[in-house]
């Protein structure tokens, strides 16, 4: 078998490696508590499940979907959501495309825009797909460090002019994975100005815009006037509505970029299972009040974990949004050695910050998507953890 050079060079996805390691531990009888992945553990709301169930029983649901990039009704539901949630007016015919989850869209948008000689500006630490997608398109990656002293925002003024000249896309992601940082409208306005001056497409990944605490409400990068000329935003039902396994996301904003994604996808996939479309519409158009109670559950876990970390001497920022705590590791440890030590001694699994790039050294990412009883048990075990 001859594998392509691209695949030969492709590193295994860090969480796939982790899954193998955990499978080996489980086979030895270890009761592993996974706090490394951001996969929602709670059910979607009843009206979402009911819409899917009804659609599954419809004979018209099981053929190839008629619209590869989202039915007119689904795209209209996304436009309505943007209107009511962010006061952003989008044209569903040209400014929104539905995706099989935003991960797929992030990859395909990159293929639509980048080629050899181009540069992608990518946050470090960051969601690994931004980097892999750029490398797959044979573009170069210019990392933008996210550091605590800059509130985990990239220093846009420090990007050298020769890099900006070749940069085609700039990735931003707030609420942020993995640092849990948030960004305000003033930061987005500065990023839009940079994109305007240097003909760069701003790609904002808003996967966590529905997961926020203590009254904080994330804003959309499409809110400032004229943003749609320079930006697209990825959104998803995965974290917002507890639907990560359903695979439904959206890219909205700059029409040229949105239509380019449709072109790529129409050659690659055949659209979304209509029952998932029905559930997505129900999620977007239906009652949104249940999200406050769901977020309060995450906030309760957050507080319990912060207190458990404090018990072993780790102080960290309390996140206002996202599904994560970004915790500095104790002195004498690296991200990986601390995660390994906790896993070996307690069976509790944290994600080493280096899974998300070199700048993630010194941190572990702890997910709030772990059932309450398991969080309680994990913090009980963590108390027993010894640094040597
Ligand atoms: C920052 C970020 N973007 C995108 C995704 C992918 O989301 P989706 O389920 O919509 O593919 C994730 C998933 O963890 C994520 O953390």
């Amino acid at each position: 078998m001859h594998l392509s050079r691209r695949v030969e060079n492709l590193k295994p996805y860090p969480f796939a490696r982790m899954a193998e390691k955990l499978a080996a531990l489980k086979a030895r009888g270890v009761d592993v508590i996974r706090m490394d992945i951001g996969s929602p553990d709670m059910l979607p709301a009843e009206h979402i499940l009911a819409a899917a169930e009804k659609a599954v029983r419809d004979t018209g649901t099981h053929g190839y979907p008629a619209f590869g990039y989202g039915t007119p009704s689904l795209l209209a539901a996304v436009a309505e959501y943007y209107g009511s949630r962010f006061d952003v007016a989008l044209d569903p015919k040209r400014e929104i495309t539905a995706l099989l989850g935003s991960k797929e869209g992030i990859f395909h948008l990159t293929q639509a825009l980048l080629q050899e000689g181009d540069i992608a500006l990518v946050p470090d630490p960051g969601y690994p797909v931004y980097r892999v997608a750029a490398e797959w398109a044979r573009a170069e990656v210019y990392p933008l460090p996210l550091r605590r002293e800059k509130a985990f925002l990239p220093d846009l003024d420090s990007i050298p002019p020769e890099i900006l000249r070749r940069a085609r896309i700039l990735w931003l992601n707030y609420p942020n994975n993995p640092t849990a940082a948030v960004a305000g409208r003033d930061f987005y306005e500065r990023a839009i100005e940079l994109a305007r001056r240097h003909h760069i497409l701003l790609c904002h990944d808003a996967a966590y815009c529905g997961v926020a605490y203590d009254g904080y409400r994330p804003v959309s990068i499409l809110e400032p006037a004229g943003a749609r000329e320079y930006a697209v935003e990825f959104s998803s039902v995965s974290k917002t509505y507890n639907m990560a396994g359903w695979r439904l996301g959206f890219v909205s904003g700059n029409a040229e970029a949105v239509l380019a994604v449709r072109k790529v996808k129409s050659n690659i996939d055949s659209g979304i299972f209509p029952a998932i479309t029905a559930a997505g519409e129900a999620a977007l158009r239906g009652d949104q009040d249940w999200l406050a109670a769901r977020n309060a559950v995450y906030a309760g876990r957050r507080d319990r974990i912060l207190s458990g970390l404090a018990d072993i001497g780790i102080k960290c920022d309390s996140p206002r949004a996202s599904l994560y705590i970004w915790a500095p590791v104790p002195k004498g440890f690296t991200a990986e050695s601390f995660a390994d030590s906790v896993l070996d001694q307690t069976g509790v699994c944290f994600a080493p910050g280096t899974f998300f790039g070199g700048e993630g050294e010194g941190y572990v990412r702890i997910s709030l998507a772990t059932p309450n009883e398991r969080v309680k048990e994990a913090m009980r075990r963590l108390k027993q953890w010894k640094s040597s």
Side-chain angles (χ1 to χ4, degrees), residues 1 6 13 57 62 80 90 114 127-128 131 146 172 236 260 290 297 320 329 382 387:
M1 174 70 80
R6 274 195 212 180
Y13 197 59
R57 302 209 174 274
H62 298 274
E80 286 160 30
L90 290 168
L114 296 188
Y127 186 52
R131 165 182 286 275
L146 304 186
L172 298 172
S236 166
W290 68 282
V297 173
R320 297 164 76 194
V329 303
L382 196 64
S387 61

PDB file of all heavy atoms in Angstrom, residues 1 6 13 57 62 80 90 114 127-128 131 146 172 236 260 290 297 320 329 382 387:
ATOM      1  N   MET A   1       0.843  -1.202   0.000  1.00  0.00           N
ATOM      2  CA  MET A   1       0.000   0.000   0.000  1.00  0.00           C
ATOM      3  C   MET A   1       0.875   1.248   0.000  1.00  0.00           C
ATOM      4  O   MET A   1       1.754   1.382   0.841  1.00  0.00           O
ATOM      5  CB  MET A   1      -0.892  -0.020   1.249  1.00  0.00           C
ATOM      6  CG  MET A   1      -1.706   1.219   1.470  1.00  0.00           C
ATOM      7  SD  MET A   1      -3.017   1.379   0.266  1.00  0.00           S
ATOM      8  CE  MET A   1      -4.225   0.256   0.966  1.00  0.00           C
ATOM      9  N   ARG A   6       0.909  13.381   1.802  1.00  0.00           N
ATOM     10  CA  ARG A   6       0.097  14.187   2.728  1.00  0.00           C
ATOM     11  C   ARG A   6      -0.365  13.359   3.920  1.00  0.00           C
ATOM     12  O   ARG A   6      -0.345  13.820   5.050  1.00  0.00           O
ATOM     13  CB  ARG A   6      -1.166  14.665   2.015  1.00  0.00           C
ATOM     14  CG  ARG A   6      -0.984  15.930   1.261  1.00  0.00           C
ATOM     15  CD  ARG A   6      -2.358  16.430   0.955  1.00  0.00           C
ATOM     16  NE  ARG A   6      -2.354  17.136  -0.299  1.00  0.00           N
ATOM     17  CZ  ARG A   6      -3.430  17.693  -0.819  1.00  0.00           C
ATOM     18  NH1 ARG A   6      -4.579  17.586  -0.217  1.00  0.00           N
ATOM     19  NH2 ARG A   6      -3.363  18.346  -1.934  1.00  0.00           N
ATOM     20  N   TYR A  13      -4.553  12.673  15.163  1.00  0.00           N
ATOM     21  CA  TYR A  13      -5.263  13.690  15.935  1.00  0.00           C
ATOM     22  C   TYR A  13      -4.985  13.424  17.419  1.00  0.00           C
ATOM     23  O   TYR A  13      -5.111  12.287  17.878  1.00  0.00           O
ATOM     24  CB  TYR A  13      -6.765  13.578  15.632  1.00  0.00           C
ATOM     25  CG  TYR A  13      -7.574  14.786  16.020  1.00  0.00           C
ATOM     26  CD1 TYR A  13      -7.278  16.035  15.483  1.00  0.00           C
ATOM     27  CD2 TYR A  13      -8.637  14.688  16.900  1.00  0.00           C
ATOM     28  CE1 TYR A  13      -8.021  17.145  15.824  1.00  0.00           C
ATOM     29  CE2 TYR A  13      -9.389  15.799  17.252  1.00  0.00           C
ATOM     30  CZ  TYR A  13      -9.070  17.027  16.700  1.00  0.00           C
ATOM     31  OH  TYR A  13      -9.804  18.134  17.040  1.00  0.00           O
ATOM     32  N   ARG A  57     -39.766   9.344  11.101  1.00  0.00           N
ATOM     33  CA  ARG A  57     -40.900   8.487  10.712  1.00  0.00           C
ATOM     34  C   ARG A  57     -41.554   8.933   9.399  1.00  0.00           C
ATOM     35  O   ARG A  57     -42.495   8.308   8.930  1.00  0.00           O
ATOM     36  CB  ARG A  57     -41.939   8.454  11.830  1.00  0.00           C
ATOM     37  CG  ARG A  57     -41.329   7.964  13.109  1.00  0.00           C
ATOM     38  CD  ARG A  57     -42.254   7.257  14.027  1.00  0.00           C
ATOM     39  NE  ARG A  57     -41.478   6.728  15.140  1.00  0.00           N
ATOM     40  CZ  ARG A  57     -40.860   5.567  15.127  1.00  0.00           C
ATOM     41  NH1 ARG A  57     -40.950   4.775  14.081  1.00  0.00           N
ATOM     42  NH2 ARG A  57     -40.143   5.157  16.157  1.00  0.00           N
ATOM     43  N   HIS A  62     -35.778   9.847   3.931  1.00  0.00           N
ATOM     44  CA  HIS A  62     -34.667   8.890   3.901  1.00  0.00           C
ATOM     45  C   HIS A  62     -33.877   8.808   2.599  1.00  0.00           C
ATOM     46  O   HIS A  62     -32.932   8.030   2.497  1.00  0.00           O
ATOM     47  CB  HIS A  62     -35.193   7.518   4.336  1.00  0.00           C
ATOM     48  CG  HIS A  62     -35.718   7.578   5.742  1.00  0.00           C
ATOM     49  ND1 HIS A  62     -34.926   7.421   6.843  1.00  0.00           N
ATOM     50  CD2 HIS A  62     -36.959   7.887   6.213  1.00  0.00           C
ATOM     51  CE1 HIS A  62     -35.642   7.595   7.945  1.00  0.00           C
ATOM     52  NE2 HIS A  62     -36.886   7.890   7.587  1.00  0.00           N
ATOM     53  N   GLU A  80     -32.755  33.834  11.062  1.00  0.00           N
ATOM     54  CA  GLU A  80     -33.616  34.338  12.153  1.00  0.00           C
ATOM     55  C   GLU A  80     -32.861  34.325  13.485  1.00  0.00           C
ATOM     56  O   GLU A  80     -32.973  35.249  14.283  1.00  0.00           O
ATOM     57  CB  GLU A  80     -34.878  33.464  12.291  1.00  0.00           C
ATOM     58  CG  GLU A  80     -35.889  33.699  11.196  1.00  0.00           C
ATOM     59  CD  GLU A  80     -36.868  32.519  11.070  1.00  0.00           C
ATOM     60  OE1 GLU A  80     -37.148  31.841  12.082  1.00  0.00           O
ATOM     61  OE2 GLU A  80     -37.321  32.266   9.929  1.00  0.00           O
ATOM     62  N   LEU A  90     -28.736  38.573   7.870  1.00  0.00           N
ATOM     63  CA  LEU A  90     -27.998  37.795   6.868  1.00  0.00           C
ATOM     64  C   LEU A  90     -28.953  37.360   5.765  1.00  0.00           C
ATOM     65  O   LEU A  90     -30.125  37.088   6.025  1.00  0.00           O
ATOM     66  CB  LEU A  90     -27.399  36.538   7.518  1.00  0.00           C
ATOM     67  CG  LEU A  90     -26.251  36.745   8.503  1.00  0.00           C
ATOM     68  CD1 LEU A  90     -25.984  35.448   9.281  1.00  0.00           C
ATOM     69  CD2 LEU A  90     -24.976  37.190   7.785  1.00  0.00           C
ATOM     70  N   LEU A 114      -7.040  28.655   0.301  1.00  0.00           N
ATOM     71  CA  LEU A 114      -5.577  28.675   0.419  1.00  0.00           C
ATOM     72  C   LEU A 114      -4.891  27.772  -0.591  1.00  0.00           C
ATOM     73  O   LEU A 114      -5.428  26.742  -0.990  1.00  0.00           O
ATOM     74  CB  LEU A 114      -5.144  28.232   1.820  1.00  0.00           C
ATOM     75  CG  LEU A 114      -5.557  29.092   3.001  1.00  0.00           C
ATOM     76  CD1 LEU A 114      -4.877  28.608   4.267  1.00  0.00           C
ATOM     77  CD2 LEU A 114      -5.231  30.558   2.771  1.00  0.00           C
ATOM     78  N   TYR A 127      -7.632  25.338  18.285  1.00  0.00           N
ATOM     79  CA  TYR A 127      -8.292  24.121  17.797  1.00  0.00           C
ATOM     80  C   TYR A 127      -7.425  23.556  16.660  1.00  0.00           C
ATOM     81  O   TYR A 127      -7.121  24.280  15.694  1.00  0.00           O
ATOM     82  CB  TYR A 127      -9.695  24.521  17.315  1.00  0.00           C
ATOM     83  CG  TYR A 127     -10.584  23.391  16.897  1.00  0.00           C
ATOM     84  CD1 TYR A 127     -10.800  22.303  17.726  1.00  0.00           C
ATOM     85  CD2 TYR A 127     -11.236  23.420  15.671  1.00  0.00           C
ATOM     86  CE1 TYR A 127     -11.640  21.267  17.337  1.00  0.00           C
ATOM     87  CE2 TYR A 127     -12.083  22.398  15.276  1.00  0.00           C
ATOM     88  CZ  TYR A 127     -12.271  21.318  16.118  1.00  0.00           C
ATOM     89  OH  TYR A 127     -13.105  20.301  15.729  1.00  0.00           O
ATOM     90  N   PRO A 128      -6.983  22.307  16.774  1.00  0.00           N
ATOM     91  CA  PRO A 128      -5.948  21.803  15.860  1.00  0.00           C
ATOM     92  C   PRO A 128      -6.310  21.835  14.374  1.00  0.00           C
ATOM     93  O   PRO A 128      -5.424  21.862  13.516  1.00  0.00           O
ATOM     94  CB  PRO A 128      -5.742  20.349  16.317  1.00  0.00           C
ATOM     95  CG  PRO A 128      -6.235  20.297  17.734  1.00  0.00           C
ATOM     96  CD  PRO A 128      -7.308  21.331  17.837  1.00  0.00           C
ATOM     97  N   ARG A 131      -4.797  24.508  11.796  1.00  0.00           N
ATOM     98  CA  ARG A 131      -3.435  24.272  11.322  1.00  0.00           C
ATOM     99  C   ARG A 131      -3.399  23.125  10.297  1.00  0.00           C
ATOM    100  O   ARG A 131      -2.837  23.279   9.208  1.00  0.00           O
ATOM    101  CB  ARG A 131      -2.533  23.924  12.524  1.00  0.00           C
ATOM    102  CG  ARG A 131      -1.199  23.308  12.163  1.00  0.00           C
ATOM    103  CD  ARG A 131      -0.401  22.950  13.397  1.00  0.00           C
ATOM    104  NE  ARG A 131       0.134  24.142  14.027  1.00  0.00           N
ATOM    105  CZ  ARG A 131       1.271  24.733  13.674  1.00  0.00           C
ATOM    106  NH1 ARG A 131       2.003  24.232  12.698  1.00  0.00           N
ATOM    107  NH2 ARG A 131       1.689  25.806  14.292  1.00  0.00           N
ATOM    108  N   LEU A 146      -1.226  33.002  22.020  1.00  0.00           N
ATOM    109  CA  LEU A 146      -2.258  33.507  22.948  1.00  0.00           C
ATOM    110  C   LEU A 146      -1.686  33.363  24.347  1.00  0.00           C
ATOM    111  O   LEU A 146      -1.433  32.242  24.798  1.00  0.00           O
ATOM    112  CB  LEU A 146      -3.546  32.687  22.842  1.00  0.00           C
ATOM    113  CG  LEU A 146      -4.207  32.559  21.469  1.00  0.00           C
ATOM    114  CD1 LEU A 146      -5.550  31.839  21.590  1.00  0.00           C
ATOM    115  CD2 LEU A 146      -4.398  33.919  20.804  1.00  0.00           C
ATOM    116  N   LEU A 172      -9.834  33.327  14.396  1.00  0.00           N
ATOM    117  CA  LEU A 172     -10.102  33.762  15.767  1.00  0.00           C
ATOM    118  C   LEU A 172     -11.141  32.807  16.330  1.00  0.00           C
ATOM    119  O   LEU A 172     -11.936  32.246  15.563  1.00  0.00           O
ATOM    120  CB  LEU A 172     -10.656  35.193  15.786  1.00  0.00           C
ATOM    121  CG  LEU A 172      -9.737  36.290  15.245  1.00  0.00           C
ATOM    122  CD1 LEU A 172     -10.507  37.605  15.161  1.00  0.00           C
ATOM    123  CD2 LEU A 172      -8.497  36.454  16.108  1.00  0.00           C
ATOM    124  N   SER A 236     -22.452  26.368  15.436  1.00  0.00           N
ATOM    125  CA  SER A 236     -22.694  24.939  15.473  1.00  0.00           C
ATOM    126  C   SER A 236     -23.749  24.616  16.521  1.00  0.00           C
ATOM    127  O   SER A 236     -23.850  25.294  17.536  1.00  0.00           O
ATOM    128  CB  SER A 236     -21.368  24.271  15.836  1.00  0.00           C
ATOM    129  OG  SER A 236     -21.561  22.940  16.214  1.00  0.00           O
ATOM    130  N   ALA A 260     -18.100  29.641  -1.990  1.00  0.00           N
ATOM    131  CA  ALA A 260     -16.944  28.780  -2.304  1.00  0.00           C
ATOM    132  C   ALA A 260     -17.007  27.489  -1.483  1.00  0.00           C
ATOM    133  O   ALA A 260     -16.683  26.403  -1.987  1.00  0.00           O
ATOM    134  CB  ALA A 260     -15.640  29.530  -2.036  1.00  0.00           C
ATOM    135  N   TRP A 290     -34.208  27.170  28.006  1.00  0.00           N
ATOM    136  CA  TRP A 290     -33.603  26.002  28.676  1.00  0.00           C
ATOM    137  C   TRP A 290     -32.072  26.115  28.740  1.00  0.00           C
ATOM    138  O   TRP A 290     -31.442  25.502  29.593  1.00  0.00           O
ATOM    139  CB  TRP A 290     -34.029  24.708  27.982  1.00  0.00           C
ATOM    140  CG  TRP A 290     -33.495  24.499  26.576  1.00  0.00           C
ATOM    141  CD1 TRP A 290     -33.959  25.086  25.433  1.00  0.00           C
ATOM    142  CD2 TRP A 290     -32.417  23.644  26.178  1.00  0.00           C
ATOM    143  NE1 TRP A 290     -33.239  24.650  24.337  1.00  0.00           N
ATOM    144  CE2 TRP A 290     -32.290  23.755  24.770  1.00  0.00           C
ATOM    145  CE3 TRP A 290     -31.553  22.786  26.853  1.00  0.00           C
ATOM    146  CZ2 TRP A 290     -31.335  23.058  24.032  1.00  0.00           C
ATOM    147  CZ3 TRP A 290     -30.590  22.081  26.116  1.00  0.00           C
ATOM    148  CH2 TRP A 290     -30.482  22.219  24.730  1.00  0.00           C
ATOM    149  N   VAL A 297     -25.730  24.429  35.075  1.00  0.00           N
ATOM    150  CA  VAL A 297     -25.147  23.127  35.457  1.00  0.00           C
ATOM    151  C   VAL A 297     -23.637  23.163  35.200  1.00  0.00           C
ATOM    152  O   VAL A 297     -22.821  22.788  36.053  1.00  0.00           O
ATOM    153  CB  VAL A 297     -25.807  21.963  34.678  1.00  0.00           C
ATOM    154  CG1 VAL A 297     -25.092  20.643  34.951  1.00  0.00           C
ATOM    155  CG2 VAL A 297     -27.286  21.854  35.028  1.00  0.00           C
ATOM    156  N   ARG A 320     -15.716  32.624  31.947  1.00  0.00           N
ATOM    157  CA  ARG A 320     -17.039  33.248  31.780  1.00  0.00           C
ATOM    158  C   ARG A 320     -17.815  32.578  30.656  1.00  0.00           C
ATOM    159  O   ARG A 320     -18.991  32.870  30.434  1.00  0.00           O
ATOM    160  CB  ARG A 320     -16.873  34.738  31.444  1.00  0.00           C
ATOM    161  CG  ARG A 320     -16.200  35.500  32.574  1.00  0.00           C
ATOM    162  CD  ARG A 320     -15.703  36.826  32.066  1.00  0.00           C
ATOM    163  NE  ARG A 320     -16.786  37.769  31.908  1.00  0.00           N
ATOM    164  CZ  ARG A 320     -16.676  38.913  31.237  1.00  0.00           C
ATOM    165  NH1 ARG A 320     -15.545  39.241  30.647  1.00  0.00           N
ATOM    166  NH2 ARG A 320     -17.699  39.741  31.168  1.00  0.00           N
ATOM    167  N   VAL A 329      -0.102  24.270  35.267  1.00  0.00           N
ATOM    168  CA  VAL A 329       0.353  23.053  35.960  1.00  0.00           C
ATOM    169  C   VAL A 329       1.290  23.447  37.102  1.00  0.00           C
ATOM    170  O   VAL A 329       1.904  24.523  37.072  1.00  0.00           O
ATOM    171  CB  VAL A 329       1.048  22.069  34.983  1.00  0.00           C
ATOM    172  CG1 VAL A 329       0.110  21.705  33.843  1.00  0.00           C
ATOM    173  CG2 VAL A 329       2.360  22.617  34.448  1.00  0.00           C
ATOM    174  N   LEU A 382      -8.639  13.726  43.151  1.00  0.00           N
ATOM    175  CA  LEU A 382      -7.556  14.717  42.924  1.00  0.00           C
ATOM    176  C   LEU A 382      -6.925  15.152  44.244  1.00  0.00           C
ATOM    177  O   LEU A 382      -5.724  15.429  44.302  1.00  0.00           O
ATOM    178  CB  LEU A 382      -8.129  15.929  42.168  1.00  0.00           C
ATOM    179  CG  LEU A 382      -7.101  16.873  41.525  1.00  0.00           C
ATOM    180  CD1 LEU A 382      -6.302  16.158  40.437  1.00  0.00           C
ATOM    181  CD2 LEU A 382      -7.797  18.109  40.930  1.00  0.00           C
ATOM    182  N   SER A 387       2.459  15.336  44.333  1.00  0.00           N
ATOM    183  CA  SER A 387       3.342  15.860  43.277  1.00  0.00           C
ATOM    184  C   SER A 387       4.640  15.065  43.176  1.00  0.00           C
ATOM    185  O   SER A 387       5.394  15.229  42.237  1.00  0.00           O
ATOM    186  CB  SER A 387       3.623  17.343  43.516  1.00  0.00           C
ATOM    187  OG  SER A 387       4.255  17.485  44.753  1.00  0.00           O
TER     188      SER A 387
END
